[in-house]
Amino acid sequence: MFLLSVITVEHVHSSNCTSRRCLSNVLIDKNLLSQPQNDNCTHEVRVPKLKYQTLEVEWEDPELAWDTSVYKFDEVILPVDKIWTPELLVTNAMASTLKHGSANVLVYSNGTVKDNLIINAEVNCEVNLFNYPFAYDVCPVAVQAWGTDKCGTTLKFGEVRLTDNSQGDWQTVDAILQKKRDDRNYIQVKLQLKSTNPFLTLMLPSYLILFVDIVSFALPLRGGGRNAFKVTLVLSFTLFINILNSQLPGDSECSPIIRPHFCICLIFLVVSMLVSMLTTRLSLEGQLVFCCWSKGSAPKITENKEQNEDEETKADISTIQPNGSENSRILRKVAKYLETHETNEAEKERKHKFADMLDKTFFWIYFISGLGYLVIMTHVPKMPY
């Protein structure tokens, strides 16, 4: 009789337990591990907030509701593994993992359950690298809940927010929710390549080499120093391209714009080198030996040479003349030499001025063309395609 009375007292005491822990134990004892069932065999799970990888989900389970007149609490915490939770899938992912943000969930008196789900998925997206190193594209992520035929779970999304938008060399610019199918929601994730590192290691060196080549026109046209410097620039840039050729992304189907950029820069350097060589030749000779032959200078030089030889011959066979005549002959030869020297110097100066005029003309053409190309190359890859 004593034992029966103790059991009865304990039972009465346990039935009168209205604490939050007692409420949790009562709900746990129900062992509700299956999906809430209703007449149409589907259950709606709301996603009011999606912070890119973290989803705040909530749903109603009427069997988890309680009478607030008995348990005077509006919410209670339950272990996440003791009740049913929705299963979300990323259907176009190569691999994905789903885990709960916490070991507990929050349950309200009307049966509403709130939980945080974290999805890590590896999605295979075809990214257009034509604008590399300013590449950007949209990657669709298909999210849906488990369902088959007319049974299962449906998702109702709210707003989409971005939190951590940086992953390695790529950053997430925006995420837009689109519903292309009734049973599946697509999150259009806009990705953009961080162009800082590729720009500093690929684009900036080519810009600087072109800039140095333009400034090299300040070197004197004569002497050959400018030509040697420009040849060094061409060889250095060629070596730079060969080193980076295997490091650049893309293939025959999607070749990045940086490949033709390097080719155009090399063409600029080679044309500048060739023009500098030609203007140097014009400055020294006044003509291009390999494309035209001298027609006026050689006869003139031959005529002057023959005239000087005739005068010397006449001087040798002449009879002995007074000292005054000898001095006059020497003065005439000196005057003739000075006149010839002045004529040659004037001819050289004329050739140099002509070559310098061509050099300056090409410099301004090269400067405007190079500057315009660099501006276009900097802004065109950033334009939407």
Side-chain angles (χ1 to χ4, degrees), residues 167-180:
Q167 296 292 336
D169 293 334
W170 293 85
Q171 62 180 357
T172 305
V173 180
D174 195 6
I176 302 175
L177 181 66
Q178 293 183 355
K179 191 175 182 64
K180 297 182 178 180

Side-chain angles (χ1 to χ4, degrees), residues 247-258:
Q247 304 296 329
L248 295 177
D251 50 20
S252 59
E253 297 181 358
C254 181
S255 180
I257 195 174
I258 196 172

Side-chain angles (χ1 to χ4, degrees), residues 317-384:
I317 65 175
S318 62
T319 59
I320 300 175
Q321 296 180 354
N323 293 333
S325 299
E326 182 69 20
N327 293 335
S328 298
R329 187 177 66 84
I330 294 175
L331 291 175
R332 284 196 301 270
K333 292 179 67 175
V334 172
K336 188 67 176 179
Y337 173 78
L338 294 176
E339 182 181 356
T340 303
H341 179 72
E342 291 178 357
T343 302
N344 292 336
E345 291 296 325
E347 183 68 15
K348 290 180 180 179
E349 187 65 23
R350 184 187 65 82
K351 295 176 182 177
H352 179 70
K353 287 183 178 180
F354 177 72
D356 186 65
M357 181 191 66
L358 292 180
D359 186 65
K360 290 180 178 179
T361 303
F362 176 76
F363 165 75
W364 286 110
I365 295 176
Y366 185 66
F367 176 77
I368 296 174
S369 302
L371 184 62
Y373 170 73
L374 293 181
V375 172
I376 294 174
M377 185 60 196
T378 304
H379 290 84
V380 167
K382 297 180 182 179
M383 299 174 62

Side-chain angles (χ1 to χ4, degrees), residues 47-309:
V47 187
K49 294 181 181 179
L50 192 156
K51 296 181 180 179
Y52 195 36
Q53 292 178 327
T54 304
L55 289 78
E56 296 183 8
V57 295
E58 61 180 42
W59 66 94
E60 278 79 25
D61 192 341
E63 297 183 48
L64 289 177
W66 66 85
D67 188 359
T68 55
S69 62
V70 178
Y71 299 97
K72 299 181 179 180
F73 306 103
D74 292 329
E75 62 277 329
V76 68
I77 297 176
L78 296 180
V80 70
D81 57 346
K82 298 299 182 180
I83 63 172
W84 175 86
T85 56
E87 179 183 3
L88 302 185
L89 306 173
V90 180
T91 54
N92 62 338
M94 296 184 297
S96 63
T97 58
L98 175 66
K99 63 180 181 179
H100 297 274
S102 175
N104 301 301
V105 294
L106 186 64
V107 182
Y108 291 91
S109 59
N110 60 354
T112 302
V113 184
K114 285 190 176 182
D115 188 14
N116 288 332
L117 298 177
I118 300 176
I119 299 178
N120 292 321
E122 297 180 5
V123 181
N124 186 12
C125 294
E126 295 184 359
V127 180
N128 191 346
L129 295 177
F130 174 76
N131 292 343
Y132 184 88
F134 306 101
Y136 55 91
D137 211 330
V138 178
C139 180
V141 180
V143 182
Q144 71 178 71
W146 180 87
T148 177
D149 295 335
K150 296 182 179 180
C151 289
T153 309
T154 59
L155 294 178
K156 182 179 180 181
F157 280 88
E159 59 179 338
V160 180
R161 295 181 181 178
L162 290 178
T163 51
D164 183 15
N165 60 348
S166 178
Q167 296 292 336
D169 293 334
W170 293 85
Q171 62 180 357
T172 305
V173 180
D174 195 6
I176 302 175
L177 181 66
Q178 293 183 355
K179 191 175 182 64
K180 297 182 178 180
R181 291 172 47 176
D182 294 336
D183 60 338
R184 185 175 302 173
N185 296 271
Y186 286 86
I187 302 175
Q188 302 291 343
V189 181
K190 295 183 179 180
L191 301 175
Q192 182 176 359
L193 180 66
K194 296 179 181 178
S195 59
T196 304
N197 292 336
F199 180 81
L200 293 178
T201 57
L202 299 177
M203 301 292 290
L204 186 59
S206 62
Y207 286 12
L208 293 178
I209 289 177
L210 278 182
F211 176 75
V212 171
D213 187 58
I214 293 174
V215 177
S216 66
F217 280 90
L219 295 175
L221 189 60
R222 296 177 178 178
R226 183 201 291 184
N227 297 334
F229 182 76
K230 287 183 176 293
V231 170
T232 303
L233 285 180
V234 172
L235 294 178
S236 301
F237 192 73
T238 304
L239 180 61
F240 174 73
I241 295 176
N242 290 334
I243 294 175
L244 295 179
N245 186 39
S246 60
Q247 304 296 329
L248 295 177
D251 50 20
S252 59
E253 297 181 358
C254 181
S255 180
I257 195 174
I258 196 172
R259 292 181 183 271
H261 163 69
F262 285 155
C263 181
I264 294 175
C265 289
L266 184 59
I267 292 175
F268 269 100
L269 295 176
V270 172
V271 170
S272 174
M273 178 186 67
L274 294 178
V275 172
S276 180
M277 290 180 177
L278 294 179
T279 51
T280 302
R281 178 67 184 178
L282 288 174
S283 176
L284 295 176
E285 301 293 336
Q287 57 189 350
L288 302 178
V289 178
F290 56 87
C291 66
C292 59
W293 296 96
S294 176
K295 296 182 179 179
S297 299
K300 186 176 181 180
I301 293 174
T302 304
E303 181 181 355
N304 292 335
K305 185 176 181 181
E306 292 177 353
Q307 184 178 357
N308 292 334
E309 290 178 353

